[in-house]
Amino acid sequence: MRIDGYGRIDRNSTLRFTFDGRHLRGHKGDTLASALLANDIRLVGRSFKYHRPRGILTAGSEEPNALVRVLGVPNTRATTQELFEGLSAESQNRWPSLANDLMSVNDFAAPFLSAGFYYKTFMWPRAFWEKLYEPLIRRAAGLGALDASGHDWPTERAFAHCDVLVIGAGPAGLMAALCAARAGADVILACEDTAPGGRLLAERERVGDQPGADWAAGVADELRAMGNVRLMLRTTVTGAYDGGTYGALERVACHIGKPGDAPRETFWRIAAKEAVLAAGAHERGIAFRNNDRPGVMAASAVRAYLHRWGVAPGRKVAVFGNNDEARRTAEDLQAAGVTVTALVDTREVADRGDLPLFAGGQVTDTKGRQGLKSITVAQNGIERSVEAHCLAVAGGWNPSVHLTCHMNGRPVWRDDIAAFVPAKGAVPGLTPCGAADGVFDTLGCLQDGLRAAGEALKALDLKAPHMTAPTAEDRGYSVDAFWHVPGKGRAWLDFQNDVTVKDVKQAAVENFRSVEHMKRYTTQGMATDQGKNSNVVALAILADATGRSIPETGTTTFRPPYTPVSIAAMGAGAEGAGFQPQRFTTSHAASVARGAPMVEAGLWYRPSYFPAPAETTWREACDREVKMVRESVGIADVSTLGKIDIQGPDAGAFLDFVYTNMFSTLRVGRVRYGLMLREDGHVMDDGTTARLGDGHFLMTTTTAAAGQVMAHLDFVSQCLRPDLDVRFTSVTEQWAQFAIAGPKARAVLAAATGAELSPDDWPFMSCGPVTVLGVQGRAFRISFSGEEGYELAVPARYGSGLYAYLIGQAEALGGGPYGMEALNVLRIEKGFITHSEIHGRVTAYDIGMGGMLSKKKDFIGKAAAARPGLLDAGRERLVGLQPVEADGKLLAGAHLFDQGAAARRENDQGYLTSVGYSPILGTMLGLGFLKRGPERLGETVMMVDHLRGTRTRCTVTSPVVFDADGGRMRG
């Protein structure tokens, strides 16, 4: 089926490939689709619902039919899959074979499987759903199957930044990129094709004094030679997001049989100051009876296969259309020596040339089950059969508006082109042009590309160079808004999901009149092509059925991605250690060198405990470290706590609004504990905030909630209190901070600072600048252990050195490092909470901090926290717990019940959140929540853990069981 003298393929390079086990040949430059057509293979797939035979419809990424499995990857579009030596492709959604698919019996059952049948059928009998319907649906669901053996193909994610992102490399996109690049802007030109040019590669046109494809290649060469342009071929921009961010999928090695170490795909996140949308347009079809036969194709695709790949999609071709693209297709085929058996134009056009024209005619039916054999043409009330192996359908052009709708933008209807175009400003910073904006002649696209580039450059304060568009074709575009041929039989809209004109009309009759309801009731446009071929025709039919205009009917919501993106590419790098970032403190290497097992805390890794040579269990190490802190001195790296630097004349007022208690009255050089609520009145986080200057505060957060709190502050500043003059930034990584705790803590601090920090000068909850071994740092007298404690902070680059020094000083005094296990025991003894307790479902009242809710000021969550239900005395409230028996076990997550009550849900009295063994008190301790907890001190309750088979009698105590008056902490 090759046409001599046509195509841009390399006929001297022969590539062998297989399709369903059949050995075939193609050429370098072919797609799988063009190679199949060249081998006269028209049947390539089966539809989803009725398993009707399907053939190649288009030549691009909008293809709904030719979905195959290539090297184990399902739903690969044959129209975009480049041919390579040894390519093995398989058809899908058929059994046992493509030609003899037993599931095609569904086609004969079509009267029982009309639109919405599943909503009606699966309602009754009720018991059938689980036993019959659901298993059948799950087995039938999906278009293709993943290769069970899998392929270990790497995927990557990458980031790029530019001044101007040009989406599409057709004539409009090339001119926009050239103009922006000559103005000195950093440009990214993203093209989903293998070569720039767009429709110029698929048409017989000239630009300037050369063929259009050669002109495009020349412009691409000029762009490549510039140092400020990145030309990204095989890259589809899949989504538009806030802040000028765009997602893009690059098919890096999908065209290589043995890619080696190259990633199969790369998912890009592109940040662009301005963008130009030159994504072109999609040709739509016309609905008529049996318009889905293999061999029925888009007219633009027929020209593409002819001019770009040198393939005639059929020996005898008919053309049906409602605009001049139909005649153009017929003339091009005839010039190539292909027999054109009919040109059917819905318009009453004059007969020109020697084409067999049926003016004012319509195609009413087709014949040929697995490949088109003939069409039925109606003209002036007379029907006749015309032989045709391919029918090229030109129903008009739909601008590719999808990206402009990804941020809730709605396209605008234009009657003159009978299509939707992008709404102006739908995506901030994105300027549509060319066919994507309803300009359908080449000269107009070239000029519109210059216009769009000029607008983008103006927004960047760059001067556009003086450029004029080269001469090019300037044929007008007129279209007859003709959507479907009336008559009996099934006229198809969505080829992949088997949606017909009748289905859309039935949806309207059953009152699914909203376009979104119709979409879900019929599954129209829900296929992998997302309605690129069928949506506008379906909308026109729905509009007619409901007596509305097309703009009144509206469009469905387009969402990213524009074309399917593999989950592997979108989640590239998010496996193994890359599943979430690993963050190491400056003391990490020293902790690992001491044999400390590292545990995750938020995104950070912290030491669990530090084993001594004679210790065989973690409990031995933990008990030793707890005693060490209580009796001597311990060092812990607390750099992971969130640190947010807050500055500005209104910083105090800002903190007053964020925290439940007052911070504007805090004196410089002092620290205060604060509680932060969500807007619903529940506790978000807690921590200390130090006042370093009149308008300068340093907030600390829990490790796990650092990001959440930062986002919360940003929301408050921008949305709730934009009147306050305040700025803040996270400085967690900029400071290394170490806790020094224990009776001998002051001696270690004095050695590090070279100064005696007396209790009178540095009382509890004070802070200030200090010199640490010659480096400017900060000291805070705070404690999370219940002992006299200090936290010493220095710039992070000095962290590892300071940690080694502090450990040396502590060990000389009989102390040393302590880990998270000991820290947990120390804080449980003191009743200090962490996110084990403030897990999102507790209030300040629940944790015994209702007195911290200021009555003198407003703050976030104040009104919600005062709701009666959140102050109910019967709520689960914080208590301490100790086992009655000396060897009793406490387990976090276990539930509490009254003694003698059955351990069932209806008798549940509370639960444990934190547990640990106290070597100081010689018993296990726990923190938990118990209904009316503070009223039940001294009672005995039963702890039950059904999962681990443990039951323990517990005494309810105060959360604070060690040094209740805090004398040791205050010194």
Side-chain angles (χ1 to χ4, degrees), residues 150-218:
H151 289 274
D152 191 21
W153 281 320
T155 54
E156 289 184 350
R157 57 181 172 181
F159 301 84
H161 299 77
C162 63
D163 293 325
V164 180
L165 169 64
V166 180
I167 304 168
L174 287 171
M175 284 302 291
L178 188 62
C179 178
R182 288 180 177 177
D186 289 329
V187 177
I188 291 178
L189 176 58
C191 172
E192 74 172 357
D193 208 339
T194 60
R199 287 301 303 175
L200 294 177
L201 303 176
E203 305 288 2
R204 187 176 58 181
E205 286 190 30
R206 297 185 70 83
V207 176
D209 57 355
Q210 57 186 322
D214 294 343
W215 174 84

Side-chain angles (χ1 to χ4, degrees), residues 700-726:
T700 64
T701 74
T702 57
T703 297
Q708 178 189 8
V709 171
M710 185 66 188
H712 179 65
L713 297 184
D714 200 28
F715 170 75
V716 173
S717 175
Q718 292 191 50
C719 303
L720 303 183
R721 295 303 304 270
D723 57 306
L724 297 180
D725 186 359
V726 62

Side-chain angles (χ1 to χ4, degrees), residues 436-495:
D437 201 30
V439 180
F440 297 137
D441 63 279
T442 303
L443 180 60
C445 286
L446 294 168
Q447 294 171 338
D448 209 35
L450 289 176
R451 172 198 62 80
E455 292 184 17
L457 292 170
K458 183 178 180 181
L460 295 170
D461 290 328
L462 293 175
K463 184 178 181 181
H466 178 70
M467 293 177 62
T468 57
T471 58
E473 178 187 83
D474 187 19
R475 66 172 72 186
Y477 174 75
S478 63
V479 61
D480 178 17
F482 186 87
W483 309 108
H484 72 104
V485 178
K488 295 182 179 180
R490 290 177 292 175
W492 303 89
L493 298 170
D494 188 325
F495 286 8

Side-chain angles (χ1 to χ4, degrees), residues 52 68 107 158 233 311 370 420 447 474 503 545 580 616 763 817 821 853 883 928 963:
R52 285 176 64 86
V68 298
D107 199 19
L233 299 178
V311 175
Q370 295 189 356
F420 286 98
Q447 294 171 338
D474 187 19
D503 291 332
Q580 63 181 16
T616 58
E821 294 292 348
L853 307 186
D963 188 32

Side-chain angles (χ1 to χ4, degrees), residues 405-449:
C405 301
H406 286 178
M407 295 176 67
N408 296 321
R410 291 285 184 175
V412 178
W413 180 258
R414 272 180 50 185
D415 281 321
D416 59 325
I417 61 173
F420 286 98
V421 297
K424 303 303 179 185
V427 175
L430 179 66
T431 304
C433 69
D437 201 30
V439 180
F440 297 137
D441 63 279
T442 303
L443 180 60
C445 286
L446 294 168
Q447 294 171 338
D448 209 35

Side-chain angles (χ1 to χ4, degrees), residues 942-967:
M942 183 66 69
M943 184 214 80
V944 179
D945 190 316
H946 290 299
L947 184 65
R948 289 168 283 193
T950 302
R951 300 171 68 92
T952 304
R953 289 194 304 147
C954 304
T955 301
V956 181
T957 71
S958 166
V960 185
V961 294
F962 179 80
D963 188 32
D965 62 0

